[in-house]
Amino acid sequence: MLTLERLRADHADALLAFERDNRAYFARSVPDRGDAYFAQFAALHRARLAEQEAGVCHFHVVLDDAGALIGRVNLIDVEDGCAELGYRIGERAAGRGVATAAVAQACRLAATAYGLVSLMAVTTLDNPASRTVLERNAFTAVQDITLDNRPGLRYRRAHLGG
């Protein structure tokens, strides 16, 4: 059982620890956030909360059944009923269906809590796990793209209800 919680100020310490603990793991499949992200984390966290308050983005942490932060799922750049989905699940929770379940919950929240009608997502071709998560959640590949100098795909999910 996992829970998505809307990002709050009191998530900062656990979120920073999660990002630090998984930095090398994430860097194997997505671009590294860079040292500045960690050095300026408190200010970035406050900025994310302000974006969320303004309705521009919806940030979530993923908690396991013991309440430990094991991932994050974000809906960013909300505009005209659409947002871009992004997610990362920590190494210790990877490969257990956590990302698929978290994305499914995010899709439900997008429709019910945020009134969104479609979501976009991107991933590289050499990230089959991410592609599988999206496809299991009814996302359809709609465009070939280049992401950080690597071939990738843009996905879309148009029907969020349910």
Side-chain angles (χ1 to χ4, degrees), residues 75-160:
L75 304 171
I76 63 167
D77 299 333
V78 173
E79 186 176 343
D80 296 328
C82 185
E84 183 161 326
L85 169 77
Y87 54 91
R88 32 174 77 200
I89 301 300
E91 185 171 22
R92 73 176 185 84
R96 298 193 340 238
V98 172
T100 299
V103 168
Q105 283 191 33
C107 289
R108 283 191 294 278
L109 278 173
T112 60
Y114 310 133
L116 300 177
V117 295
S118 68
L119 294 176
M120 303 297 287
V122 297
T123 190
T124 55
L125 294 181
D126 61 358
N127 190 343
S130 184
R131 293 171 57 201
T132 298
V133 166
L134 293 171
E135 290 164 8
R136 286 184 178 160
N137 277 285
F139 281 79
T140 303
V142 295
Q143 181 182 19
D144 293 326
I145 61 167
T146 300
L147 188 62
D148 301 308
N149 297 317
R150 293 159 46 197
L153 291 169
R154 180 176 312 281
Y155 284 83
R156 182 171 188 260
R157 179 168 167 178
H159 305 287
L160 297 178

